[in-house]
Amino acid sequence: MEFSNKVVIVTGAAGAIGKEIARRIIEEGGKAFITDIAQDKLDAVVSELGPNAASLAADCSNAEQVKLVVQTCLKIFGQNIDVLINVAGVTGKGGKIEDITEETWDFVYAVNVKGTFFFIKEVIPVMKAQGHGSIVNFSSKSGKTGSALMTAYSSAKGAIITLTQALSYEVAKQNIRVNCVCPGITEATGVWDNVSADYVNNLKMPFEEIVKTFTAKVPMGRLAHIEDIVNVTCFLASDRAAYMTGQAINITGGREMH
């Protein structure tokens, strides 16, 4: 019961990965406060996860809404927030850089980077006061090695890695750990749906050929499963990773090795 009596905030939890992370937290004894953009979807997830889950919808790029999420979590589950897992992210519309609009660029950075920053900003004072904490941010394989036709997303996810590193130095002496995960393409997720649709459109290839193209690049010969991401994320969030901070861990089947 690795998360026994621990309170965990999970962002982007109406999506496949965020929901399964919250489920694992609860299965291992924790309480999960989940957030995403749509309350009806969150209500469905809470109904599925049971009494140790609670939620509030918010736009993670809105500072006041993020503050309310953290305050509500504290009211419902007590005065500690032991773990923050920043899953919320968007790919935006991919394509050649000359075709990317300012609105797309700003949206991708607002959700991926500003949203992560806002949640960290609100949670860090709580973790400092309680004398411990663990933060896991979501970067991407594309944050390590940029992906063609995905410049906004790749650069935003690269920013998450350096944010993680800088913050880990800043708060290490307060017993707060900060790490991030860098998943490769993960099947059965909204990100994969959006990325594959963009590649079908931009490369004029059938979906089946897109899958083969991506899989051929992976030494282990398959795309990531959601469980692969959940396992590593929850490890980093837990005390099992007590001596790890500032790390960006690849979950890519060997495709990314740095």
Side-chain angles (χ1 to χ4, degrees), residues 7-15 17-26 31-50 52-58 69-70 72-73 76-77 83-85 87 119:
V7 175
V8 182
I9 292 179
V10 184
T11 77
I17 292 175
K19 180 176 78 169
E20 293 309 314
I21 288 171
R23 189 191 307 278
R24 180 72 60 83
I25 296 295
I26 292 169
K31 298 174 181 178
F33 194 91
I34 63 173
T35 185
D36 211 310
I37 196 70
Q39 189 63 53
D40 58 337
K41 293 182 179 180
L42 290 170
D43 290 342
V45 174
V46 168
S47 177
E48 186 178 333
L49 296 181
N52 285 325
S55 72
L56 181 65
V69 167
V70 174
T72 304
C73 176
I76 292 175
F77 286 141
V83 179
L84 167 65
I85 302 177
V87 183
F119 269 100

mmCIF file of all heavy atoms in Angstrom, residues 7-15 17-26 31-50 52-58 69-70 72-73 76-77 83-85 87 119:
data_model
loop_
_atom_site.group_PDB
_atom_site.id
_atom_site.type_symbol
_atom_site.label_atom_id
_atom_site.label_comp_id
_atom_site.label_asym_id
_atom_site.label_seq_id
_atom_site.Cartn_x
_atom_site.Cartn_y
_atom_site.Cartn_z
ATOM 1 N N VAL A 7 -2.375 11.968 0.033
ATOM 2 C CA VAL A 7 -3.269 12.738 -0.834
ATOM 3 C C VAL A 7 -2.498 13.108 -2.100
ATOM 4 O O VAL A 7 -1.392 13.659 -2.029
ATOM 5 C CB VAL A 7 -3.769 14.006 -0.128
ATOM 6 C CG1 VAL A 7 -4.606 14.851 -1.084
ATOM 7 C CG2 VAL A 7 -4.589 13.641 1.109
ATOM 8 N N VAL A 8 -3.090 12.797 -3.237
ATOM 9 C CA VAL A 8 -2.428 12.986 -4.525
ATOM 10 C C VAL A 8 -3.339 13.791 -5.446
ATOM 11 O O VAL A 8 -4.508 13.442 -5.627
ATOM 12 C CB VAL A 8 -2.097 11.634 -5.184
ATOM 13 C CG1 VAL A 8 -1.364 11.841 -6.500
ATOM 14 C CG2 VAL A 8 -1.279 10.758 -4.240
ATOM 15 N N ILE A 9 -2.823 14.865 -6.022
ATOM 16 C CA ILE A 9 -3.533 15.590 -7.069
ATOM 17 C C ILE A 9 -3.055 15.067 -8.414
ATOM 18 O O ILE A 9 -1.852 14.987 -8.669
ATOM 19 C CB ILE A 9 -3.291 17.110 -6.979
ATOM 20 C CG1 ILE A 9 -3.945 17.688 -5.718
ATOM 21 C CG2 ILE A 9 -3.838 17.813 -8.221
ATOM 22 C CD1 ILE A 9 -3.726 19.186 -5.550
ATOM 23 N N VAL A 10 -4.004 14.720 -9.270
ATOM 24 C CA VAL A 10 -3.696 14.262 -10.623
ATOM 25 C C VAL A 10 -4.411 15.178 -11.609
ATOM 26 O O VAL A 10 -5.642 15.260 -11.595
ATOM 27 C CB VAL A 10 -4.140 12.806 -10.865
ATOM 28 C CG1 VAL A 10 -3.705 12.343 -12.260
ATOM 29 C CG2 VAL A 10 -3.567 11.872 -9.796
ATOM 30 N N THR A 11 -3.652 15.859 -12.463
ATOM 31 C CA THR A 11 -4.268 16.707 -13.485
ATOM 32 C C THR A 11 -4.464 15.897 -14.774
ATOM 33 O O THR A 11 -3.860 14.853 -14.957
ATOM 34 C CB THR A 11 -3.415 17.957 -13.773
ATOM 35 O OG1 THR A 11 -2.291 17.601 -14.602
ATOM 36 C CG2 THR A 11 -2.915 18.600 -12.480
ATOM 37 N N GLY A 12 -5.315 16.400 -15.643
ATOM 38 C CA GLY A 12 -5.592 15.671 -16.884
ATOM 39 C C GLY A 12 -6.206 14.315 -16.635
ATOM 40 O O GLY A 12 -6.030 13.379 -17.423
ATOM 41 N N ALA A 13 -6.976 14.192 -15.542
ATOM 42 C CA ALA A 13 -7.406 12.867 -15.086
ATOM 43 C C ALA A 13 -8.676 12.358 -15.737
ATOM 44 O O ALA A 13 -9.105 11.245 -15.431
ATOM 45 C CB ALA A 13 -7.563 12.872 -13.561
ATOM 46 N N ALA A 14 -9.271 13.131 -16.642
ATOM 47 C CA ALA A 14 -10.371 12.581 -17.424
ATOM 48 C C ALA A 14 -9.848 11.780 -18.607
ATOM 49 O O ALA A 14 -10.596 11.029 -19.235
ATOM 50 C CB ALA A 14 -11.294 13.696 -17.919
ATOM 51 N N GLY A 15 -8.564 11.925 -18.907
ATOM 52 C CA GLY A 15 -7.938 11.161 -19.976
ATOM 53 C C GLY A 15 -7.522 9.781 -19.509
ATOM 54 O O GLY A 15 -7.517 9.480 -18.311
ATOM 55 N N ILE A 17 -4.630 8.061 -19.362
ATOM 56 C CA ILE A 17 -3.474 7.873 -18.491
ATOM 57 C C ILE A 17 -3.740 8.450 -17.106
ATOM 58 O O ILE A 17 -3.490 7.794 -16.086
ATOM 59 C CB ILE A 17 -2.211 8.494 -19.119
ATOM 60 C CG1 ILE A 17 -1.799 7.703 -20.362
ATOM 61 C CG2 ILE A 17 -1.059 8.530 -18.113
ATOM 62 C CD1 ILE A 17 -0.628 8.309 -21.120
ATOM 63 N N GLY A 18 -4.255 9.682 -17.044
ATOM 64 C CA GLY A 18 -4.524 10.298 -15.749
ATOM 65 C C GLY A 18 -5.498 9.488 -14.913
ATOM 66 O O GLY A 18 -5.309 9.324 -13.701
ATOM 67 N N LYS A 19 -6.538 8.979 -15.551
ATOM 68 C CA LYS A 19 -7.528 8.177 -14.821
ATOM 69 C C LYS A 19 -6.900 6.921 -14.248
ATOM 70 O O LYS A 19 -7.159 6.557 -13.088
ATOM 71 C CB LYS A 19 -8.686 7.801 -15.743
ATOM 72 C CG LYS A 19 -9.757 6.975 -15.042
ATOM 73 C CD LYS A 19 -10.946 6.700 -15.943
ATOM 74 C CE LYS A 19 -10.664 5.595 -16.933
ATOM 75 N NZ LYS A 19 -11.897 5.146 -17.642
ATOM 76 N N GLU A 20 -6.066 6.245 -15.019
ATOM 77 C CA GLU A 20 -5.460 5.000 -14.530
ATOM 78 C C GLU A 20 -4.400 5.263 -13.458
ATOM 79 O O GLU A 20 -4.200 4.436 -12.575
ATOM 80 C CB GLU A 20 -4.884 4.204 -15.692
ATOM 81 C CG GLU A 20 -5.940 3.658 -16.647
ATOM 82 C CD GLU A 20 -7.056 2.899 -15.925
ATOM 83 O OE1 GLU A 20 -6.736 2.065 -15.043
ATOM 84 O OE2 GLU A 20 -8.230 3.156 -16.231
ATOM 85 N N ILE A 21 -3.743 6.407 -13.520
ATOM 86 C CA ILE A 21 -2.835 6.777 -12.421
ATOM 87 C C ILE A 21 -3.639 6.975 -11.139
ATOM 88 O O ILE A 21 -3.263 6.477 -10.066
ATOM 89 C CB ILE A 21 -2.048 8.045 -12.781
ATOM 90 C CG1 ILE A 21 -1.007 7.736 -13.859
ATOM 91 C CG2 ILE A 21 -1.364 8.639 -11.540
ATOM 92 C CD1 ILE A 21 -0.328 8.963 -14.435
ATOM 93 N N ALA A 22 -4.750 7.700 -11.237
ATOM 94 C CA ALA A 22 -5.594 7.913 -10.058
ATOM 95 C C ALA A 22 -6.114 6.584 -9.511
ATOM 96 O O ALA A 22 -6.151 6.374 -8.290
ATOM 97 C CB ALA A 22 -6.760 8.833 -10.417
ATOM 98 N N ARG A 23 -6.487 5.681 -10.414
ATOM 99 C CA ARG A 23 -6.964 4.371 -9.962
ATOM 100 C C ARG A 23 -5.873 3.632 -9.184
ATOM 101 O O ARG A 23 -6.133 3.056 -8.124
ATOM 102 C CB ARG A 23 -7.400 3.534 -11.171
ATOM 103 C CG ARG A 23 -8.106 2.229 -10.770
ATOM 104 C CD ARG A 23 -8.276 1.301 -11.970
ATOM 105 N NE ARG A 23 -8.914 1.943 -13.098
ATOM 106 C CZ ARG A 23 -10.231 2.096 -13.220
ATOM 107 N NH1 ARG A 23 -11.041 1.685 -12.267
ATOM 108 N NH2 ARG A 23 -10.730 2.670 -14.303
ATOM 109 N N ARG A 24 -4.646 3.659 -9.701
ATOM 110 C CA ARG A 24 -3.539 2.978 -9.021
ATOM 111 C C ARG A 24 -3.268 3.605 -7.647
ATOM 112 O O ARG A 24 -2.995 2.889 -6.673
ATOM 113 C CB ARG A 24 -2.285 3.043 -9.889
ATOM 114 C CG ARG A 24 -1.056 2.369 -9.283
ATOM 115 C CD ARG A 24 -1.164 0.850 -9.279
ATOM 116 N NE ARG A 24 -1.298 0.349 -10.632
ATOM 117 C CZ ARG A 24 -0.258 0.145 -11.455
ATOM 118 N NH1 ARG A 24 0.978 0.407 -11.051
ATOM 119 N NH2 ARG A 24 -0.459 -0.314 -12.684
ATOM 120 N N ILE A 25 -3.317 4.919 -7.568
ATOM 121 C CA ILE A 25 -3.123 5.610 -6.292
ATOM 122 C C ILE A 25 -4.115 5.098 -5.259
ATOM 123 O O ILE A 25 -3.747 4.786 -4.113
ATOM 124 C CB ILE A 25 -3.299 7.137 -6.470
ATOM 125 C CG1 ILE A 25 -2.222 7.731 -7.396
ATOM 126 C CG2 ILE A 25 -3.302 7.844 -5.113
ATOM 127 C CD1 ILE A 25 -0.826 7.660 -6.883
ATOM 128 N N ILE A 26 -5.364 5.000 -5.655
ATOM 129 C CA ILE A 26 -6.409 4.557 -4.736
ATOM 130 C C ILE A 26 -6.233 3.084 -4.388
ATOM 131 O O ILE A 26 -6.382 2.681 -3.224
ATOM 132 C CB ILE A 26 -7.797 4.839 -5.345
ATOM 133 C CG1 ILE A 26 -8.027 6.355 -5.404
ATOM 134 C CG2 ILE A 26 -8.900 4.147 -4.552
ATOM 135 C CD1 ILE A 26 -9.233 6.771 -6.211
ATOM 136 N N LYS A 31 -5.591 8.736 -1.598
ATOM 137 C CA LYS A 31 -6.763 9.522 -1.961
ATOM 138 C C LYS A 31 -6.381 10.380 -3.156
ATOM 139 O O LYS A 31 -5.344 11.046 -3.130
ATOM 140 C CB LYS A 31 -7.219 10.388 -0.799
ATOM 141 C CG LYS A 31 -7.634 9.568 0.423
ATOM 142 C CD LYS A 31 -7.936 10.456 1.610
ATOM 143 C CE LYS A 31 -8.323 9.613 2.824
ATOM 144 N NZ LYS A 31 -8.588 10.447 4.027
ATOM 145 N N ALA A 32 -7.207 10.357 -4.185
ATOM 146 C CA ALA A 32 -6.886 11.051 -5.430
ATOM 147 C C ALA A 32 -7.855 12.202 -5.660
ATOM 148 O O ALA A 32 -9.068 11.992 -5.756
ATOM 149 C CB ALA A 32 -6.946 10.076 -6.608
ATOM 150 N N PHE A 33 -7.300 13.406 -5.726
ATOM 151 C CA PHE A 33 -8.090 14.559 -6.138
ATOM 152 C C PHE A 33 -7.760 14.824 -7.594
ATOM 153 O O PHE A 33 -6.614 15.116 -7.933
ATOM 154 C CB PHE A 33 -7.783 15.791 -5.289
ATOM 155 C CG PHE A 33 -8.814 16.874 -5.471
ATOM 156 C CD1 PHE A 33 -9.925 16.934 -4.650
ATOM 157 C CD2 PHE A 33 -8.691 17.804 -6.500
ATOM 158 C CE1 PHE A 33 -10.903 17.905 -4.842
ATOM 159 C CE2 PHE A 33 -9.662 18.763 -6.701
ATOM 160 C CZ PHE A 33 -10.775 18.828 -5.862
ATOM 161 N N ILE A 34 -8.768 14.711 -8.446
ATOM 162 C CA ILE A 34 -8.510 14.755 -9.882
ATOM 163 C C ILE A 34 -9.105 16.018 -10.497
ATOM 164 O O ILE A 34 -10.111 16.552 -10.015
ATOM 165 C CB ILE A 34 -9.056 13.503 -10.597
ATOM 166 C CG1 ILE A 34 -10.571 13.402 -10.484
ATOM 167 C CG2 ILE A 34 -8.389 12.247 -10.031
ATOM 168 C CD1 ILE A 34 -11.186 12.272 -11.305
ATOM 169 N N THR A 35 -8.471 16.483 -11.550
ATOM 170 C CA THR A 35 -8.954 17.667 -12.243
ATOM 171 C C THR A 35 -8.736 17.525 -13.745
ATOM 172 O O THR A 35 -7.855 16.792 -14.191
ATOM 173 C CB THR A 35 -8.268 18.943 -11.711
ATOM 174 O OG1 THR A 35 -8.851 20.100 -12.322
ATOM 175 C CG2 THR A 35 -6.778 18.923 -11.969
ATOM 176 N N ASP A 36 -9.574 18.207 -14.482
ATOM 177 C CA ASP A 36 -9.507 18.261 -15.942
ATOM 178 C C ASP A 36 -10.441 19.382 -16.361
ATOM 179 O O ASP A 36 -11.003 20.073 -15.509
ATOM 180 C CB ASP A 36 -9.897 16.914 -16.571
ATOM 181 C CG ASP A 36 -9.181 16.653 -17.895
ATOM 182 O OD1 ASP A 36 -9.220 17.555 -18.754
ATOM 183 O OD2 ASP A 36 -8.603 15.567 -18.075
ATOM 184 N N ILE A 37 -10.657 19.549 -17.635
ATOM 185 C CA ILE A 37 -11.393 20.716 -18.125
ATOM 186 C C ILE A 37 -12.906 20.566 -18.013
ATOM 187 O O ILE A 37 -13.629 21.561 -17.939
ATOM 188 C CB ILE A 37 -10.990 21.019 -19.585
ATOM 189 C CG1 ILE A 37 -11.422 22.431 -20.000
ATOM 190 C CG2 ILE A 37 -11.521 19.960 -20.528
ATOM 191 C CD1 ILE A 37 -10.652 23.532 -19.349
ATOM 192 N N ALA A 38 -13.424 19.333 -17.991
ATOM 193 C CA ALA A 38 -14.875 19.113 -18.041
ATOM 194 C C ALA A 38 -15.364 18.386 -16.800
ATOM 195 O O ALA A 38 -14.956 17.244 -16.540
ATOM 196 C CB ALA A 38 -15.252 18.323 -19.293
ATOM 197 N N GLN A 39 -16.273 19.015 -16.047
ATOM 198 C CA GLN A 39 -16.741 18.423 -14.789
ATOM 199 C C GLN A 39 -17.546 17.148 -15.015
ATOM 200 O O GLN A 39 -17.464 16.203 -14.219
ATOM 201 C CB GLN A 39 -17.584 19.433 -14.008
ATOM 202 C CG GLN A 39 -17.940 18.981 -12.595
ATOM 203 C CD GLN A 39 -16.725 18.783 -11.705
ATOM 204 O OE1 GLN A 39 -15.903 19.677 -11.586
ATOM 205 N NE2 GLN A 39 -16.612 17.605 -11.091
ATOM 206 N N ASP A 40 -18.318 17.063 -16.085
ATOM 207 C CA ASP A 40 -19.129 15.865 -16.306
ATOM 208 C C ASP A 40 -18.250 14.632 -16.499
ATOM 209 O O ASP A 40 -18.557 13.544 -15.995
ATOM 210 C CB ASP A 40 -20.090 16.048 -17.483
ATOM 211 C CG ASP A 40 -19.381 16.381 -18.792
ATOM 212 O OD1 ASP A 40 -18.240 16.891 -18.767
ATOM 213 O OD2 ASP A 40 -19.978 16.139 -19.862
ATOM 214 N N LYS A 41 -17.129 14.806 -17.191
ATOM 215 C CA LYS A 41 -16.213 13.680 -17.379
ATOM 216 C C LYS A 41 -15.540 13.304 -16.062
ATOM 217 O O LYS A 41 -15.338 12.118 -15.767
ATOM 218 C CB LYS A 41 -15.176 14.013 -18.441
ATOM 219 C CG LYS A 41 -15.767 14.155 -19.838
ATOM 220 C CD LYS A 41 -14.707 14.448 -20.877
ATOM 221 C CE LYS A 41 -15.326 14.561 -22.270
ATOM 222 N NZ LYS A 41 -14.300 14.859 -23.304
ATOM 223 N N LEU A 42 -15.210 14.302 -15.264
ATOM 224 C CA LEU A 42 -14.617 14.024 -13.958
ATOM 225 C C LEU A 42 -15.602 13.315 -13.043
ATOM 226 O O LEU A 42 -15.231 12.397 -12.299
ATOM 227 C CB LEU A 42 -14.145 15.325 -13.305
ATOM 228 C CG LEU A 42 -12.934 15.997 -13.927
ATOM 229 C CD1 LEU A 42 -12.744 17.389 -13.336
ATOM 230 C CD2 LEU A 42 -11.669 15.166 -13.726
ATOM 231 N N ASP A 43 -16.863 13.730 -13.085
ATOM 232 C CA ASP A 43 -17.887 13.072 -12.261
ATOM 233 C C ASP A 43 -17.984 11.592 -12.605
ATOM 234 O O ASP A 43 -18.130 10.744 -11.712
ATOM 235 C CB ASP A 43 -19.246 13.738 -12.484
ATOM 236 C CG ASP A 43 -19.313 15.143 -11.899
ATOM 237 O OD1 ASP A 43 -18.471 15.481 -11.054
ATOM 238 O OD2 ASP A 43 -20.220 15.906 -12.318
ATOM 239 N N ALA A 44 -17.887 11.267 -13.888
ATOM 240 C CA ALA A 44 -17.942 9.865 -14.311
ATOM 241 C C ALA A 44 -16.745 9.091 -13.785
ATOM 242 O O ALA A 44 -16.876 7.938 -13.348
ATOM 243 C CB ALA A 44 -18.004 9.784 -15.834
ATOM 244 N N VAL A 45 -15.565 9.718 -13.798
ATOM 245 C CA VAL A 45 -14.364 9.048 -13.290
ATOM 246 C C VAL A 45 -14.471 8.841 -11.788
ATOM 247 O O VAL A 45 -14.158 7.754 -11.273
ATOM 248 C CB VAL A 45 -13.103 9.861 -13.643
ATOM 249 C CG1 VAL A 45 -11.876 9.234 -12.976
ATOM 250 C CG2 VAL A 45 -12.904 9.924 -15.150
ATOM 251 N N VAL A 46 -14.919 9.856 -11.051
ATOM 252 C CA VAL A 46 -15.069 9.726 -9.597
ATOM 253 C C VAL A 46 -16.059 8.621 -9.264
ATOM 254 O O VAL A 46 -15.836 7.819 -8.341
ATOM 255 C CB VAL A 46 -15.504 11.071 -8.969
ATOM 256 C CG1 VAL A 46 -15.934 10.875 -7.517
ATOM 257 C CG2 VAL A 46 -14.362 12.074 -9.037
ATOM 258 N N SER A 47 -17.156 8.549 -10.008
ATOM 259 C CA SER A 47 -18.137 7.483 -9.792
ATOM 260 C C SER A 47 -17.510 6.118 -9.978
ATOM 261 O O SER A 47 -17.824 5.163 -9.248
ATOM 262 C CB SER A 47 -19.310 7.670 -10.752
ATOM 263 O OG SER A 47 -20.241 6.628 -10.620
ATOM 264 N N GLU A 48 -16.600 6.021 -10.928
ATOM 265 C CA GLU A 48 -15.920 4.760 -11.203
ATOM 266 C C GLU A 48 -14.882 4.424 -10.135
ATOM 267 O O GLU A 48 -14.709 3.253 -9.763
ATOM 268 C CB GLU A 48 -15.250 4.863 -12.579
ATOM 269 C CG GLU A 48 -14.614 3.600 -13.092
ATOM 270 C CD GLU A 48 -14.031 3.790 -14.486
ATOM 271 O OE1 GLU A 48 -14.514 4.643 -15.248
ATOM 272 O OE2 GLU A 48 -13.069 3.057 -14.807
ATOM 273 N N LEU A 49 -14.193 5.451 -9.621
ATOM 274 C CA LEU A 49 -13.078 5.216 -8.698
ATOM 275 C C LEU A 49 -13.510 5.069 -7.244
ATOM 276 O O LEU A 49 -12.782 4.478 -6.452
ATOM 277 C CB LEU A 49 -12.056 6.349 -8.815
ATOM 278 C CG LEU A 49 -11.348 6.492 -10.163
ATOM 279 C CD1 LEU A 49 -10.345 7.645 -10.109
ATOM 280 C CD2 LEU A 49 -10.649 5.197 -10.566
ATOM 281 N N GLY A 50 -14.655 5.628 -6.867
ATOM 282 C CA GLY A 50 -15.157 5.423 -5.518
ATOM 283 C C GLY A 50 -14.889 6.559 -4.555
ATOM 284 O O GLY A 50 -14.448 7.649 -4.933
ATOM 285 N N ASN A 52 -12.721 7.407 -2.344
ATOM 286 C CA ASN A 52 -11.410 8.011 -2.116
ATOM 287 C C ASN A 52 -10.959 8.878 -3.286
ATOM 288 O O ASN A 52 -9.786 9.234 -3.390
ATOM 289 C CB ASN A 52 -10.363 6.939 -1.824
ATOM 290 C CG ASN A 52 -10.515 6.377 -0.420
ATOM 291 O OD1 ASN A 52 -10.881 7.103 0.507
ATOM 292 N ND2 ASN A 52 -10.263 5.096 -0.266
ATOM 293 N N ALA A 53 -11.908 9.226 -4.148
ATOM 294 C CA ALA A 53 -11.648 10.161 -5.242
ATOM 295 C C ALA A 53 -12.594 11.343 -5.115
ATOM 296 O O ALA A 53 -13.733 11.209 -4.671
ATOM 297 C CB ALA A 53 -11.841 9.492 -6.601
ATOM 298 N N ALA A 54 -12.085 12.518 -5.468
ATOM 299 C CA ALA A 54 -12.894 13.727 -5.533
ATOM 300 C C ALA A 54 -12.365 14.566 -6.686
ATOM 301 O O ALA A 54 -11.244 14.331 -7.166
ATOM 302 C CB ALA A 54 -12.849 14.504 -4.221
ATOM 303 N N SER A 55 -13.144 15.564 -7.113
ATOM 304 C CA SER A 55 -12.726 16.285 -8.316
ATOM 305 C C SER A 55 -13.224 17.719 -8.327
ATOM 306 O O SER A 55 -14.169 18.075 -7.613
ATOM 307 C CB SER A 55 -13.242 15.570 -9.569
ATOM 308 O OG SER A 55 -14.647 15.747 -9.695
ATOM 309 N N LEU A 56 -12.602 18.514 -9.171
ATOM 310 C CA LEU A 56 -13.084 19.838 -9.528
ATOM 311 C C LEU A 56 -12.520 20.182 -10.897
ATOM 312 O O LEU A 56 -11.306 20.077 -11.112
ATOM 313 C CB LEU A 56 -12.644 20.891 -8.508
ATOM 314 C CG LEU A 56 -13.122 22.321 -8.801
ATOM 315 C CD1 LEU A 56 -14.653 22.403 -8.709
ATOM 316 C CD2 LEU A 56 -12.474 23.320 -7.863
ATOM 317 N N ALA A 57 -13.379 20.592 -11.801
ATOM 318 C CA ALA A 57 -12.929 20.962 -13.139
ATOM 319 C C ALA A 57 -12.217 22.305 -13.107
ATOM 320 O O ALA A 57 -12.548 23.192 -12.318
ATOM 321 C CB ALA A 57 -14.109 21.025 -14.095
ATOM 322 N N ALA A 58 -11.215 22.446 -13.975
ATOM 323 C CA ALA A 58 -10.477 23.701 -14.071
ATOM 324 C C ALA A 58 -9.726 23.738 -15.389
ATOM 325 O O ALA A 58 -9.351 22.706 -15.941
ATOM 326 C CB ALA A 58 -9.494 23.841 -12.910
ATOM 327 N N VAL A 69 -8.678 24.662 -7.249
ATOM 328 C CA VAL A 69 -8.521 23.207 -7.208
ATOM 329 C C VAL A 69 -7.714 22.790 -5.982
ATOM 330 O O VAL A 69 -8.101 21.881 -5.231
ATOM 331 C CB VAL A 69 -7.849 22.685 -8.492
ATOM 332 C CG1 VAL A 69 -7.399 21.229 -8.322
ATOM 333 C CG2 VAL A 69 -8.792 22.794 -9.678
ATOM 334 N N VAL A 70 -6.594 23.445 -5.760
ATOM 335 C CA VAL A 70 -5.730 23.091 -4.632
ATOM 336 C C VAL A 70 -6.435 23.372 -3.305
ATOM 337 O O VAL A 70 -6.398 22.550 -2.381
ATOM 338 C CB VAL A 70 -4.390 23.842 -4.733
ATOM 339 C CG1 VAL A 70 -3.545 23.596 -3.489
ATOM 340 C CG2 VAL A 70 -3.631 23.407 -5.981
ATOM 341 N N THR A 72 -9.641 23.390 -2.742
ATOM 342 C CA THR A 72 -10.727 22.421 -2.582
ATOM 343 C C THR A 72 -10.191 21.062 -2.158
ATOM 344 O O THR A 72 -10.786 20.381 -1.306
ATOM 345 C CB THR A 72 -11.531 22.295 -3.889
ATOM 346 O OG1 THR A 72 -11.997 23.581 -4.283
ATOM 347 C CG2 THR A 72 -12.709 21.356 -3.715
ATOM 348 N N CYS A 73 -9.061 20.672 -2.735
ATOM 349 C CA CYS A 73 -8.423 19.421 -2.320
ATOM 350 C C CYS A 73 -8.104 19.441 -0.833
ATOM 351 O O CYS A 73 -8.371 18.474 -0.112
ATOM 352 C CB CYS A 73 -7.157 19.188 -3.140
ATOM 353 S SG CYS A 73 -6.203 17.739 -2.639
ATOM 354 N N ILE A 76 -11.270 19.049 1.303
ATOM 355 C CA ILE A 76 -11.901 17.727 1.273
ATOM 356 C C ILE A 76 -11.048 16.658 1.954
ATOM 357 O O ILE A 76 -11.547 15.836 2.732
ATOM 358 C CB ILE A 76 -12.210 17.318 -0.181
ATOM 359 C CG1 ILE A 76 -13.308 18.213 -0.753
ATOM 360 C CG2 ILE A 76 -12.629 15.845 -0.272
ATOM 361 C CD1 ILE A 76 -13.614 17.967 -2.218
ATOM 362 N N PHE A 77 -9.749 16.667 1.673
ATOM 363 C CA PHE A 77 -8.895 15.575 2.113
ATOM 364 C C PHE A 77 -7.929 15.944 3.241
ATOM 365 O O PHE A 77 -7.102 15.125 3.637
ATOM 366 C CB PHE A 77 -8.095 15.034 0.924
ATOM 367 C CG PHE A 77 -8.916 14.203 -0.029
ATOM 368 C CD1 PHE A 77 -8.726 14.304 -1.400
ATOM 369 C CD2 PHE A 77 -9.873 13.313 0.428
ATOM 370 C CE1 PHE A 77 -9.465 13.534 -2.289
ATOM 371 C CE2 PHE A 77 -10.622 12.537 -0.448
ATOM 372 C CZ PHE A 77 -10.420 12.653 -1.806
ATOM 373 N N VAL A 83 1.538 14.381 -3.010
ATOM 374 C CA VAL A 83 2.031 14.152 -4.370
ATOM 375 C C VAL A 83 1.223 15.014 -5.343
ATOM 376 O O VAL A 83 -0.002 15.146 -5.212
ATOM 377 C CB VAL A 83 1.905 12.670 -4.779
ATOM 378 C CG1 VAL A 83 2.399 12.453 -6.203
ATOM 379 C CG2 VAL A 83 2.663 11.769 -3.804
ATOM 380 N N LEU A 84 1.922 15.576 -6.321
ATOM 381 C CA LEU A 84 1.295 16.237 -7.459
ATOM 382 C C LEU A 84 1.772 15.549 -8.732
ATOM 383 O O LEU A 84 2.983 15.428 -8.948
ATOM 384 C CB LEU A 84 1.677 17.719 -7.509
ATOM 385 C CG LEU A 84 1.345 18.475 -8.810
ATOM 386 C CD1 LEU A 84 -0.167 18.544 -9.024
ATOM 387 C CD2 LEU A 84 1.962 19.865 -8.797
ATOM 388 N N ILE A 85 0.835 15.107 -9.566
ATOM 389 C CA ILE A 85 1.180 14.477 -10.835
ATOM 390 C C ILE A 85 0.544 15.299 -11.949
ATOM 391 O O ILE A 85 -0.678 15.323 -12.111
ATOM 392 C CB ILE A 85 0.712 13.011 -10.891
ATOM 393 C CG1 ILE A 85 1.332 12.219 -9.723
ATOM 394 C CG2 ILE A 85 1.109 12.379 -12.229
ATOM 395 C CD1 ILE A 85 0.889 10.776 -9.639
ATOM 396 N N VAL A 87 -0.308 15.534 -15.347
ATOM 397 C CA VAL A 87 -0.509 14.786 -16.583
ATOM 398 C C VAL A 87 -1.051 15.682 -17.703
ATOM 399 O O VAL A 87 -0.757 15.454 -18.878
ATOM 400 C CB VAL A 87 -1.477 13.602 -16.372
ATOM 401 C CG1 VAL A 87 -1.623 12.776 -17.640
ATOM 402 C CG2 VAL A 87 -1.012 12.720 -15.212
ATOM 403 N N PHE A 119 0.194 24.735 -11.194
ATOM 404 C CA PHE A 119 -0.061 23.732 -10.153
ATOM 405 C C PHE A 119 1.124 23.606 -9.203
ATOM 406 O O PHE A 119 0.948 23.489 -7.983
ATOM 407 C CB PHE A 119 -0.418 22.378 -10.786
ATOM 408 C CG PHE A 119 -1.890 22.216 -10.986
ATOM 409 C CD1 PHE A 119 -2.464 22.431 -12.229
ATOM 410 C CD2 PHE A 119 -2.718 21.872 -9.934
ATOM 411 C CE1 PHE A 119 -3.827 22.317 -12.424
ATOM 412 C CE2 PHE A 119 -4.087 21.746 -10.104
ATOM 413 C CZ PHE A 119 -4.653 21.974 -11.360
#
